[in-house]
Amino acid sequence: MDHREAPIFMVEPPVVNAADPFDAEGRTADLAGPLRRLASAPALSDRLVPGPGAAAWAGRFGAVLTRGGVLLLPVTALAALPMHFFVGRLDEAVIAAPYLSELAGGFGLLLLPIMWLAYLAVTALPHVITLAGAVGVLVPQAAGARLRPRLVWSLVALRLRALWLWFAAFSVLTGSLPLLLTEDSLGPAARVPLAVVLAAVSTAVLTFGGVLGCVVLIERGHARRRTVRLLARVQPVGLIAAAAAVTVVPQIADEFLGGLAATLAGVVLAQLWAIAALVTYAQARRLEEPVTSASLRNELAAPEE
């Protein structure tokens, strides 16, 4: 072979698989952006992290639920207590206003906003418990770690305060809207549109909050901006559906079957929402960089700086 006529051009994988090393003009393959990301992405066999697309998300969600649903039963039971006694009980604070006024000679009315804030802050607990439990149990389990209550607690305990503060703020937002926008102030014709708007706001907040909660528990940095960036990489249809179910189904159950049925539906759906949020977060991370359940577990176990 005449070296001058057939020079060999050295190229690196994955380009070498699509290029001709004996091309006299030195041309190499031009990999498009999606191909480049897929070339650097981990294998699709991870037990927690799904590949791109809605089908991959649904398959991984089902597998995670099947594998870890029983392990999350203690978490679900723990979240049922605050959900039964506090979620949806804000109207009791409104009814208590006249009694507070009589009890404290008018000063009791000043306590009413504090009571509202206390109720709204406590209503965040079921979502905090279910999401922290899903992350603390499912991430190490997918990474092959031996689960123990002490291990699960150590992985999430230091970040529970930040998680609860975020979700308390979300609860204040979604819980105060029904007090400000009422059927009495807007008129009977606004009943159905108002219910739709409030449900849409709650669904959007839970969708955003689910991914944000995973960011708070696993990562560092600016949670809000990081969450917006991750959600922009995926189409969170499954997470939106789970958030909508948490918003709508317990209210329907309470209307037709009573408070106990509403609690059972709410706590089960909240746990499904938490799993959906974790799988959506893992998918968004994988589309950004090579991650596995093991690497997410290492991030979760990293000490606070």
Side-chain angles (χ1 to χ4, degrees), residues 34-45:
L35 292 177
R36 189 178 296 112
R37 287 196 300 270
L38 289 176
S40 61
L44 297 180
S45 59

Side-chain angles (χ1 to χ4, degrees), residues 94-167:
V94 178
I95 296 173
Y99 300 98
L100 283 175
S101 179
E102 295 176 2
L103 181 64
F107 179 74
L109 287 176
L110 299 178
L111 299 178
L112 187 57
I114 299 177
M115 178 179 289
W116 287 345
L117 291 176
Y119 267 109
L120 292 172
V122 174
T123 58
L125 283 178
H127 300 102
V128 171
I129 293 172
T130 53
L131 186 59
V135 172
V137 170
L138 298 178
V139 173
Q141 189 232 14
R146 182 181 177 184
L147 289 180
R148 300 184 301 274
R150 188 172 184 178
L151 170 64
V152 174
W153 174 254
S154 67
L155 291 176
V156 300
L158 295 178
R159 299 163 199 176
L160 283 178
R161 179 176 176 270
L163 182 65
W164 179 77
L165 289 176
W166 272 107
F167 275 85

Side-chain angles (χ1 to χ4, degrees), residues 238-256:
L239 178 56
I240 293 173
V246 173
T247 300
V248 175
V249 174
Q251 296 181 7
I252 298 176
D254 186 42
E255 182 73 20
F256 293 98

Side-chain angles (χ1 to χ4, degrees), residues 215 219 222-230 285 288:
V215 172
E219 301 184 41
H222 302 284
R224 180 179 57 82
R225 285 185 288 180
R226 177 66 170 156
T227 302
V228 171
R229 181 176 177 180
L230 289 174
R285 284 290 304 272
E288 183 181 54

Side-chain angles (χ1 to χ4, degrees), residues 18-270:
D20 184 2
F22 296 97
D23 189 346
E25 298 181 8
R27 294 171 297 189
T28 59
D30 182 17
L31 293 181
L35 292 177
R36 189 178 296 112
R37 287 196 300 270
L38 289 176
S40 61
L44 297 180
S45 59
D46 190 271
R47 302 178 71 190
L48 175 64
V49 183
W57 184 95
R60 188 61 68 237
F61 173 82
V64 171
L65 177 62
T66 302
R67 190 175 60 248
V70 175
L71 298 175
L72 290 174
L73 286 179
V75 177
T76 306
L78 183 62
L81 186 64
M83 180 165 287
H84 179 69
F85 286 104
F86 295 103
V87 174
R89 309 282 180 170
L90 186 60
D91 53 345
E92 296 180 359
V94 178
I95 296 173
Y99 300 98
L100 283 175
S101 179
E102 295 176 2
L103 181 64
F107 179 74
L109 287 176
L110 299 178
L111 299 178
L112 187 57
I114 299 177
M115 178 179 289
W116 287 345
L117 291 176
Y119 267 109
L120 292 172
V122 174
T123 58
L125 283 178
H127 300 102
V128 171
I129 293 172
T130 53
L131 186 59
V135 172
V137 170
L138 298 178
V139 173
Q141 189 232 14
R146 182 181 177 184
L147 289 180
R148 300 184 301 274
R150 188 172 184 178
L151 170 64
V152 174
W153 174 254
S154 67
L155 291 176
V156 300
L158 295 178
R159 299 163 199 176
L160 283 178
R161 179 176 176 270
L163 182 65
W164 179 77
L165 289 176
W166 272 107
F167 275 85
F170 293 150
S171 295
V172 170
L173 172 63
T174 57
S176 60
L177 287 180
L179 297 178
L180 300 176
L181 304 175
T182 63
E183 184 180 345
D184 294 335
S185 62
L186 298 177
R191 180 178 182 180
V192 174
L194 180 60
V196 172
V197 169
L198 293 178
V201 171
S202 180
T203 299
V205 169
L206 282 175
T207 300
F208 182 83
V211 177
L212 182 139
C214 295
V215 172
V216 170
L217 290 169
I218 298 176
E219 301 184 41
R220 309 290 190 273
H222 302 284
R224 180 179 57 82
R225 285 185 288 180
R226 177 66 170 156
T227 302
V228 171
R229 181 176 177 180
L230 289 174
L231 282 173
R233 295 182 176 276
V234 294
Q235 295 179 345
V237 178
L239 178 56
I240 293 173
V246 173
T247 300
V248 175
V249 174
Q251 296 181 7
I252 298 176
D254 186 42
E255 182 73 20
F256 293 98
L257 300 175
L260 182 59
T263 298
L264 293 175
V267 72
V268 171
L269 291 171

